[in-house]
Structure formats: C-alpha cells, structure tokens
Amino acid sequence: MRIPTLALAAALLAPLTATIASEAAFAPDALKTAAYLRDLANGGSAAYDIVESLTTEVGPRLAGSEADARAVAWAKAKFQELGFDRVWTEPVTFPQWRRGVELAEVLAPYPQPLHITALGLSVGSNGPIEAEVVAFADLAALSAAEPGSLDGKIAYITNRMIRTRDGKGYGPAVGARSRGASEAASKGALALLIRSIGTDHDRMPHTGALQYAEGDNAPPKIPAAALSNPDADLLTNMLRRGQPVRLRLNIDAGVVGMATSYNVIGEITGSQYPEQVVIIGGHLDSWDLGTGAIDDGAGVAITMAAGALIGDLKTPPERSVRVVAFANEEQGLFGGKAYAEQHKAEISQHIIGAESDFGAGRIYALRAAVSEAARPQIAAIGEVLAPLGIAHDSEGGGPGPDIIAMAERGMAWAQLAQDGSDYFDYHHTANDTLDKIDPRALDQQVAAYAVLAYLAAQADGGFGSAAKPEAP
Ligand SMILES: [Zn+2]
C-alpha cells in the first residue's frame, strides 16, 4: 500500500502548491465561482452565436456608415437580450471616410490589371492618373530619397510583414501604410502604393488607416493604396527587368464630413461597489471589405458573452463589470479616446481594463500593468487561468487599442494575449469572415475574460488605478 499512498501524496502536492498564491489573494468562494465560470464557458459559450449574428445581420460596418448605425442598434439589443443590468450609448464624433472605385493596371511594359484597395482615410486621385513606379525597400529608404526625386511618379514600398504568434511583425511593417503617403508626397510623388501589411498569399489587398502629416509645412495629401501580396510580387518582378513600369491608378475615396457614432455599453451592476468598474470590450466598427468577424466581431462577442455569464451568477459581483463595444477604432481609436475623455474624472474607479482585439485565436498568456501590491492578485488570476493553457507572464504586453487612452490617464490594465499566427492572413481584407473563427477557441477566450473580469471585481484593494496629472 506504500506505493499508492506515495503516489497519492505526490498527486496532491502539485495542486496544493499551485493554489497557495490564489488562496492568499482571494476568498475561497470567489475562487470557486471563478473556476465555475471558467469551466462553464470553456464547455460552450454564447460567443460564436453573437459573432455569427453580428456578421450575418449587420456585416461590414465602416465607421459612420449606415451599417455602423445598424451595428449600434444591434449591440444595444444584444446587451439587453443577454440580460445586462444597464445598457447605454455615448457619442463619438470623427471625420467620415468613404471608399468608391479603386482600380490599378500596368500600362507598360506588360499590360495587366492589379488588385488594390485604398488605404483608409486616403484622398481620391480625381480621375485616372498615369505615372512611372519607383520602388523602395521600406519607409526609411523612401525617407532617404531626395526631395523632388519623385516628381510625377508613383512611390511603391515593398516591405513584407513577418509572421509571428504575437504579431510583432506588424509594427516594423505598418509605418509604410500609416506614414508612407506623406513621406512620398514630400519627395514629389503623385500617389503611394504599398505591399499589403499582411502575411497571406491571397489576391486580397489589406486596407487600414493612413495618417497624413498635418500642419502648415505638411506635404499635399496624395492617394494611397495597398496591392495584394501576389500583385506586389508581380510588380516587383516587372521592375526587376529594368525597364520603366507605368501604371494607371484610379481611386475614388475621401472624407465627406463629420459623423457621430456611439460607444455601446452594457453593465452588470456590482452589489457592494457599483461605482467601481472592471472594463472589458472590443470594437464594434470594422473595415468595409470583409464582414469584420475576427476584427473585431470576435472581441465584441467574447467580452459580451463573458459579461453575460457573470450577470447570470446567483450572487452578483462586488464591483460592476462593464462591457464596451467601442466606436471607430480602425480610423484612429476614436471610441477609446472618447470614453477616456468622458470618464476622465473616474480613472481611480476604473479598477482594471482589458480589450480583445487580436482576432479569435486562443489565449496563451496573461500580462498586466498593476501596482506592486496587486501583483499577487494577478498571479492568482493566472493560476485560475492555467488549466486553459494560459501562462502568467510577469512582464511585457500592452493594453488593447481602445484601452490605451484610459491607461495613459492612469488606469491599470491586463492583457489576455491571443495566438495571432494567422491573424494577419485575413486582417483588414475581404477574407475577414466568420469561417475563420473556431467556436471552441472562442469559448476558451470567453472563459479567460470571465475569470479575469469576475476576480478583478472581487479583488481586495484594486490594482492601482489612479488618475495621472494631465500634461500641461
Ligand atoms: Zn481591431
């Protein structure tokens, strides 16, 4: 009987040591409830049905469009249907951008059509323009060109995005999209083309916002578009032959005025400290090419489903759990900024925030920026998440895009890092559709958000949120 006894002791030892931190940080009932939420959600959640509903009944929802207004109505109705205690909207105003015709073709030396899409916020070309293409390896190479050297030309940036799990290939590549147009214009270019900021080989270009330089000395605004990656290869192969390559571009797009959309908010009201809030969410707007399934229907669905599960508990959480479907993230984080402005006097009441906006891949890590005193609570939450295959990283990470403005004002944040290995195959393309979502992976994410939000709502003493003095 010795051997079984020893085996039993060894089997007990691992979970015992593993739960010490969580038992010190949270009351046993809170841990029990968190484990219940985790296992319930991981076994099947409402999230897939929610994102199916959004992509089917609303579809593409470019900020400020008629479809965006339908998405706002959809989100209000969905929060109500899911039983949230309070549902409301807060206005968000921004320049409204519109996409029209977008055509590109090679005129010489090898005439053929190219697949492009205008970058978000691009101006139009005022009819077709015809010009020679000049290629640059990356934004830095374009910046190094002499002023005037691109007079009457189309600049073309060829940099490739590298595939990684955490998406770190995006940052180095995306400058071509966000700043390339003004850089090219400062050298005299008529228009900008870029290789898509994406990791796929599909003939679907990736859109995404650009930012024109502003100010008295800013160069003129020129039209900008992305080539699909196979079209970028094709253009590069033509240029390699050494003869001038002439293109015709016709882009009809531009800002048409100001529009107002809404952050849509659903809240599960806290029983002890209703004014104290744990905030989770995703962004409701999408680009217009796909149906906005992974960006960011998934994030909206995951956090709505997680909030609803907490709302279904027999005993409400001590603090409030607020789920925000943010307006217009894509064109400049307008919803997150508007939320922070609206709630700037309540930073210390926003206990912690986390956003799901990195597709629908499984979560593999918990990271957080909290006070030293709250580190044991985060470690304890990590222990409850461990059975989901989620590790606690004590360093690194960053807040989701719509959480940045609140974090900058002093709110503590957490990140549930998702596997984004294939995210940039579909990101901002016509291929961002429901079939890219694995319902079981979505359930794992709902489980993680439910645990995080619930335990944050029960934590003694919060996570160190405190308003920073505003910059003069
Ligand atoms: Zn997004």
Side-chain angles (χ1 to χ4, degrees), residues 283 295-296 329-330 357 423:
H283 65 84
D295 188 13
D296 185 25
E329 183 273 347
E330 292 292 2
D357 183 24
Y423 182 53

Side-chain angles (χ1 to χ4, degrees), residues 2-25:
R2 248 161 211 259
I3 291 163
T5 308
L6 278 174
L8 185 64
L12 281 172
L13 199 61
L16 276 178
T17 49
T19 52
I20 284 171
S22 54
E23 284 174 5

Side-chain angles (χ1 to χ4, degrees), residues 105-107 114 129-131 133 154 193 245-249:
E105 62 183 310
V106 180
L107 298 174
L114 298 171
I129 52 175
E130 297 183 5
V133 180
I154 296 170
L193 283 176
V245 175
R246 283 185 68 78
L247 299 186
R248 179 186 291 136
L249 275 184

Side-chain angles (χ1 to χ4, degrees), residues 20-196:
I20 284 171
S22 54
E23 284 174 5
F26 290 100
D29 276 358
L31 292 170
K32 213 170 118 187
T33 302
Y36 162 80
L37 286 168
R38 175 193 67 205
D39 297 341
L40 182 67
N42 198 39
S45 78
Y48 186 82
D49 286 348
I50 296 172
V51 67
E52 190 272 346
S53 166
L54 177 59
T55 54
T56 305
E57 297 159 24
V58 179
R61 43 201 184 276
L62 193 68
S65 66
E66 173 273 335
D68 185 26
R70 282 190 285 122
V72 167
W74 172 91
K76 280 165 70 178
K78 192 59 72 178
F79 275 126
Q80 270 148 3
E81 183 189 320
L82 289 166
F84 280 74
D85 298 318
R86 288 176 64 210
V87 180
W88 74 98
T89 58
E90 295 177 358
V92 181
T93 298
F94 48 83
Q96 184 182 354
W97 181 75
R98 171 195 74 80
R99 182 195 306 280
V101 171
E102 40 195 24
L103 292 169
E105 62 183 310
V106 180
L107 298 174
Y110 310 111
Q112 53 180 299
L114 298 171
H115 287 230
I116 64 161
T117 192
L119 300 183
L121 302 177
S122 175
V123 299
S125 58
N126 289 316
I129 52 175
E130 297 183 5
E132 188 185 332
V133 180
V134 182
F136 296 91
D138 53 27
L139 183 64
L142 173 60
S143 302
E146 291 294 324
S149 62
L150 295 179
D151 283 352
K153 305 272 174 58
I154 296 170
Y156 166 41
I157 306 177
T158 66
N159 67 194
R160 271 168 202 271
M161 185 187 160
I162 309 299
R163 182 187 302 277
T164 60
R165 181 172 72 163
D166 64 1
K168 67 170 178 281
Y170 190 60
V174 78
R177 187 190 82 204
S178 49
R179 301 201 308 280
S182 288
E183 205 59 57
S186 75
K187 314 299 181 187
L190 296 175
L192 173 77
L193 283 176
I194 62 167
R195 183 186 181 91
S196 278

Side-chain angles (χ1 to χ4, degrees), residues 360-409:
R362 284 177 181 272
I363 294 166
Y364 64 89
L366 167 68
R367 303 177 184 126
V370 299
S371 63
E372 223 26 67
R375 294 230 149 256
Q377 267 97 326
I378 294 294
I381 293 170
E383 286 177 7
V384 180
L385 295 176
L388 298 170
I390 299 172
H392 172 216
D393 286 352
S394 54
E395 283 179 11
D402 296 299
I403 298 296
I404 292 171
M406 287 291 281
E408 283 175 350
R409 290 176 187 268

